[in-house]
Amino acid sequence: MIRLATVSPCYNEEDVLRHSVEQLTALFERMIAEGLVSKDSMMVFVNDGSRDRTWEIIRELHLENKFVRGINMSRNVGHQNAIMAGMMTAREWADAVITLDADLQDDIECIPQMVRDFEAGNDIVYGVKVSRKADSFMKRMTAQGFYKFQSSMGVESVYNHADFRLMSRRALDMLSTYKEHNLYLRGLIPLIGLRHTTVDDRIGERFAGKSKYTFSKMMHLAMNGITAFSVRPLFAIYNIGMLFLIIGFLIGIYVIWSLIVGHVVQGWASLMLSVWIVGGFILISLGIVGTYIAQIYTEVKRRPLYHIQEILS
């Protein structure tokens, strides 16, 4: 039997914590009875600088429930860094670690199969979303569009996989050697290259409240996912620049033709159009280059990803 740890980042999750612990406790007890995991398995909740009673509730649950452990970050460090902190701490306690969000929208009934796949020799087991009916139409469309766009940019990732996954201690040890500050775990973990497989994940309704993962946070994560693993946007600027050079050449031919036939006034529209198009392209290009420079600026400072204030073990 393996010693299993689940790791859940929490930011203002007081409305779902007790329900999540009840669901996971029932699952743990069932897996222990089936001989899948050991009695000293655990669920680890990482408090990522919550402003509500999340940490107080984790403390109470730690005293009430033998499975519950807690990690309190010194401040809010973000979803990906909180997951990293939880995994790096839990790898000292367990043989395998499963990361999942505290709202349990991921299908926890996949966990027993993840454990079986781990025992079959897989170091990483990805939860892949096969049903997203609980997500809004806009979220489904933007998420699937992003996965496709990310693939076209050359980023290696698992399609329709978020952060619901199992990793062995060996895989976590390898992950710890990656020192990126701008973390994008969905792109980083496939680089490890160990044996892996997938399980089907069906997203369910959130028990209470609403997701704290805002649209701006998702956009920031998406930008990290592309700029941290692909330089194709920089080459795209060059290609688009060549396209505008061709367009400029054609406009030049049109201007010469207008001068010959005497339709000089009509060139005003094409002039204005070309100015706005080229100006917009220049601004977008500067934005893309600036994003890469910002990533370099952040990485070279080599600041710690996080600081842990307290651990309940």
Side-chain angles (χ1 to χ4, degrees):
M1 289 187 293
I2 72 164
R3 194 180 192 194
L4 178 70
T6 61
V7 169
S8 300
C10 303
Y11 178 70
N12 295 345
E13 298 287 4
E14 64 177 6
D15 50 357
V16 299
L17 264 177
R18 291 191 179 276
H19 174 74
S20 298
V21 169
E22 289 175 6
Q23 297 295 308
L24 286 172
T25 298
L27 178 66
F28 272 42
E29 289 176 344
R30 194 170 80 234
M31 289 194 295
I32 291 169
E34 294 173 359
L36 276 178
V37 299
S38 66
K39 292 181 180 179
D40 54 354
S41 294
M42 69 212 72
M43 54 188 84
V44 182
F45 294 94
V46 183
N47 179 43
D48 186 22
S50 298
R51 298 180 180 179
D52 60 5
R53 294 187 64 252
T54 294
W55 182 241
E56 287 79 1
I57 293 174
I58 292 173
R59 278 180 169 277
E60 293 169 6
L61 290 167
H62 173 66
L63 296 174
E64 299 168 4
N65 191 308
K66 63 180 180 180
F67 296 119
V68 175
R69 299 191 184 191
I71 299 172
N72 191 26
M73 310 304 292
S74 61
R75 66 177 186 87
N76 179 262
V77 295
H79 183 262
Q80 297 289 283
N81 286 352
I83 291 176
M84 191 70 165
M87 290 192 300
M88 293 300 105
T89 304
R91 70 176 167 143
E92 304 297 330
W93 300 336
D95 302 307
V97 173
I98 293 177
T99 53
L100 72 165
D101 289 337
D103 57 19
L104 297 191
Q105 283 192 279
D106 291 301
D107 186 6
I108 63 173
E109 293 302 322
C110 294
I111 292 177
Q113 184 58 48
M114 286 179 159
V115 173
R116 294 187 188 98
D117 289 337
F118 166 73
E119 291 180 327
N122 293 283
D123 284 282
I124 305 171
V125 184
Y126 298 101
V128 175
K129 297 177 176 65
V130 294
S131 173
R132 306 186 67 142
K133 293 181 180 178
D135 287 340
S136 66
F137 173 77
M138 182 59 67
K139 186 173 182 179
R140 289 198 302 270
M141 294 299 293
T142 54
Q144 291 172 359
F146 168 68
Y147 284 120
K148 293 176 181 177
F149 178 69
Q150 183 178 248
S151 177
S152 69
M153 288 290 103
V155 180
E156 182 181 351
S157 64
V158 179
Y159 183 75
N160 256 343
H161 162 71
D163 290 299
F164 181 38
R165 70 180 75 85
L166 176 147
M167 296 184 69
S168 68
R169 183 181 295 169
R170 178 169 67 157
L172 290 170
D173 287 341
M174 292 182 179
L175 179 63
S176 69
T177 64
Y178 290 83
K179 302 302 182 181
E180 280 94 335
H181 187 277
N182 297 291
L183 280 181
Y184 183 68
L185 294 171
R186 303 173 198 183
L188 204 58
I189 291 171
L191 297 179
I192 294 174
L194 293 174
R195 180 177 170 183
H196 61 272
T197 188
T198 63
V199 296
D200 292 343
D201 179 23
R202 290 171 174 80
I203 299 301
E205 297 286 348
R206 185 180 170 90
F207 171 71
K210 60 181 182 179
S211 174
K212 311 303 186 300
Y213 213 64
T214 62
F215 179 75
S216 62
K217 289 181 179 179
M218 288 189 286
M219 289 300 296
H220 178 72
L221 181 66
M223 184 62 71
N224 266 356
I226 294 171
T227 56
F229 292 91
S230 175
V231 294
R232 287 189 184 180
L234 293 174
F235 291 105
I237 293 174
Y238 173 81
N239 294 329
I240 295 173
M242 293 300 296
L243 174 63
F244 274 94
L245 184 64
I246 295 171
I247 292 174
F249 177 74
L250 295 175
I251 290 176
I253 294 175
Y254 169 72
V255 169
I256 294 173
W257 177 82
S258 296
L259 287 172
I260 293 173
V261 300
H263 294 162
V264 180
V265 177
Q266 293 181 3
W268 180 85
S270 60
L271 177 63
M272 292 300 295
L273 184 63
S274 63
V275 168
W276 279 98
I277 291 175
V278 174
F281 169 69
I282 292 171
L283 289 175
I284 292 172
S285 302
L286 289 173
I288 293 174
V289 174
T291 300
Y292 277 93
I293 293 173
Q295 295 277 36
I296 296 169
Y297 172 71
T298 303
E299 292 292 344
V300 297
K301 287 185 289 187
R302 310 305 297 166
R303 290 175 179 171
L305 293 177
Y306 53 81
H307 292 291
I308 296 176
Q309 181 175 320
E310 185 179 358
I311 295 177
L312 303 176
S313 60

